[in-house]
Amino acid sequence: VEAHARNTLGFCLAMTGEPDEGGEQLRAAIRIATERDHLSDVADGYNNYSDMLHMLGRSDEAITACLEGREVVGTRRPVSALWLDSQLAEFTFDVGQWAESERYLPDPKRWTGNQARMNLGVRRASLLVGRGEHDAAWTILNDPEDKVAESSEPQFIGPFYELTAEQQRRAGDLDAARKAIERGLDRMEFCTDDAAR
């Protein structure tokens, strides 16, 4: 319970302007969860800690933290490993290490839930759009659209509509690109007040 509470508190502190204190709470959450060998909380701690670092522009540290979490989790909790690998794919993509991003990006498994599938789809589409593989990107972006419409997670909604708009812009349809951005902003305003996302 303490690890879970520190995890939430740490991320909240970091995102409201107290990153040092937030980082301390997140590291404490990871330590407690690791001592208890509670893999779900270990992975959540590493996910939030590395996400915080990346959002603060400390991407090298974020990648290192994520790799550390991945090593701790190993193969003992596949769903946690999948989320950490997804995060590694996101961070390495954002810093321009696209080959590494593709290497880390896992394929969905039979047991992969909707949120994880959405995340993996957005990550894969980012690589495809970046490389100019527009038809393949559309195939992926068309798949999770219904799931995104039902989501209340800005970290999936924002990138999904951003990629959709970029695809439309590259196709020369600025009206459709504008509508995609408006739709994404409307969805995020409806579901969250997460200014960072």
Side-chain angles (χ1 to χ4, degrees):
V1 171
E2 181 183 350
H4 189 76
R6 286 179 183 270
N7 187 353
T8 302
L9 174 64
F11 196 77
C12 290
L13 285 169
M15 294 298 102
T16 56
E18 298 181 53
D20 292 337
E21 189 175 337
E24 287 177 27
Q25 293 294 332
L26 285 161
R27 285 190 299 275
I30 292 167
R31 180 185 49 74
I32 293 166
T34 302
E35 288 171 359
R36 302 273 189 270
D37 200 33
H38 196 280
L39 292 179
S40 177
D41 283 347
V42 169
D44 287 349
Y46 276 109
N47 271 315
N48 283 341
Y49 183 55
S50 61
D51 196 30
M52 175 205 78
L53 291 168
H54 185 63
M55 290 175 74
L56 294 172
R58 296 163 56 184
S59 298
D60 289 343
E61 292 174 69
I63 291 167
T64 299
C66 215
L67 287 168
E68 183 180 308
R70 187 62 179 85
E71 188 174 319
V72 172
V73 171
T75 58
R76 297 184 298 152
R77 185 168 165 78
V79 68
S80 295
L82 181 129
W83 279 101
L84 287 162
D85 288 344
S86 297
Q87 207 146 8
L88 283 165
E90 177 185 355
F91 299 163
T92 52
F93 176 84
D94 287 350
V95 298
Q97 299 171 1
W98 290 7
E100 286 294 295
S101 177
E102 189 161 34
R103 186 173 69 79
Y104 287 124
L105 186 62
D107 290 320
K109 311 295 185 226
R110 185 175 45 82
W111 45 262
T112 304
N114 282 342
Q115 296 283 30
R117 281 185 187 281
M118 225 183 331
N119 187 29
L120 295 175
V122 166
R123 300 291 142 240
R124 179 82 54 208
S126 294
L127 282 164
L128 293 168
V129 171
R131 292 181 176 144
E133 298 177 34
H134 302 296
D135 290 341
W138 274 127
T139 300
I140 290 173
L141 289 170
N142 286 332
D143 181 50
E145 188 165 10
D146 291 340
K147 295 177 189 82
V148 171
E150 297 171 4
S151 177
S152 62
E153 298 290 337
Q155 68 264 33
F156 307 132
I157 296 168
F160 174 82
Y161 285 107
E162 179 184 2
L163 288 166
T164 300
E166 179 61 14
Q167 286 277 88
Q168 298 289 6
R169 185 193 68 79
R170 289 183 185 191
D173 191 343
L174 297 182
D175 288 337
R178 212 173 278 111
K179 284 179 185 169
I181 293 295
E182 289 169 1
R183 203 161 160 213
L185 289 171
D186 287 347
R187 284 290 308 137
M188 287 197 298
E189 185 178 359
F190 170 74
C191 69
T192 185
D193 57 2
D194 183 346
R197 300 287 184 185

